[in-house]
Amino acid sequence: MVTKPVVNSMLVLRIVTLATSVATMALLVTNNVTFDEGGKLKYQDYTSYSYMVAITAAACAYCVVQLPFAIYYAVQQRRLIRNGFLAEFDFYGDKITSLLLATGIGAGFALSVELKKFIDDAADAAGASEDDPIRSTYDKFFIRGIVASAFLVLAFISMTIVSFISSINRSKNN
């Protein structure tokens, strides 16, 4: 039997994962900029950002599925389905979700940092000032990608902690 504080912390961490995943998705989906010349740049223009949106959508779906079971477990101090299925589902689902979140972080952070550096280096080589409208528009776009990646890091950390706890729960059930 797992203690009440552990079960409650799993519930809170699942909610944190859901909230930070939603925040990541909101930041990315609304990450659209328009240049002075009329050109537009949106998250769909980069496969890595689209991948991050897909990963966060999967994490949100997993958390939404898990939330009723986690609430029941926290309130009743026992599993809704007692044949061991939920412990196994938690174990594998938490691992897969945390690994997917890690790949999303890598894709989004690498793209944001590398392209921001590339644009800054190209602007410096061209002699553009820090206040150049094209440079500042790109900076705005890629900084928002970095912030979205930071939120995804929080989702990953909380899901990883849940994953460790579900491993302990699974080993106690076996």
Side-chain angles (χ1 to χ4, degrees):
M1 182 73 179
V2 181
T3 64
K4 188 164 180 69
V6 171
V7 173
N8 290 340
S9 66
M10 284 181 70
L11 175 61
V12 168
L13 289 168
R14 286 190 192 284
I15 292 170
V16 168
T17 301
L18 178 62
T20 54
S21 294
V22 168
T24 298
M25 199 172 351
L27 281 168
L28 286 174
V29 170
T30 60
N31 194 8
N32 303 314
V33 294
T34 304
F35 295 98
D36 291 342
E37 300 83 32
K40 294 182 186 265
L41 186 62
K42 48 192 183 254
Y43 85 94
Q44 296 103 326
D45 295 336
Y46 296 97
T47 306
S48 293
Y49 286 155
S50 296
Y51 178 75
M52 278 180 70
V53 168
I55 292 301
T56 56
C60 287
Y62 177 72
C63 288
V64 166
V65 167
Q66 282 284 43
L67 215 50
F69 297 111
I71 292 170
Y72 184 87
Y73 194 26
V75 171
Q76 297 295 324
Q77 291 296 298
R78 59 191 165 123
R79 297 252 185 210
L80 183 61
I81 302 171
R82 293 181 194 91
N83 63 358
F85 172 76
L86 282 179
E88 292 291 315
F89 184 71
D90 288 351
F91 177 75
Y92 291 111
D94 294 346
K95 304 274 182 283
I96 290 168
T97 303
S98 61
L99 289 172
L100 287 174
L101 288 170
T103 63
I105 293 165
F109 188 72
L111 173 76
S112 300
V113 170
E114 289 300 317
L115 284 181
K116 183 180 179 322
K117 182 179 180 333
F118 176 78
I119 296 295
D120 287 343
D121 289 347
D124 288 341
S129 70
E130 294 283 328
D131 298 333
D132 183 59
I134 293 174
R135 183 179 191 164
S136 63
T137 302
Y138 273 114
D139 280 350
K140 177 184 170 192
F141 184 80
F142 291 120
I143 287 172
R144 194 164 179 154
I146 291 169
V147 171
S149 297
F151 274 106
L152 204 55
V153 167
L154 294 175
F156 167 72
I157 289 170
S158 60
M159 184 51 70
T160 302
I161 294 169
V162 169
S163 177
F164 289 142
I165 295 170
S166 67
S167 296
I168 293 167
N169 286 349
R170 182 174 177 256
S171 66
K172 285 184 178 182
N173 289 339
N174 291 336

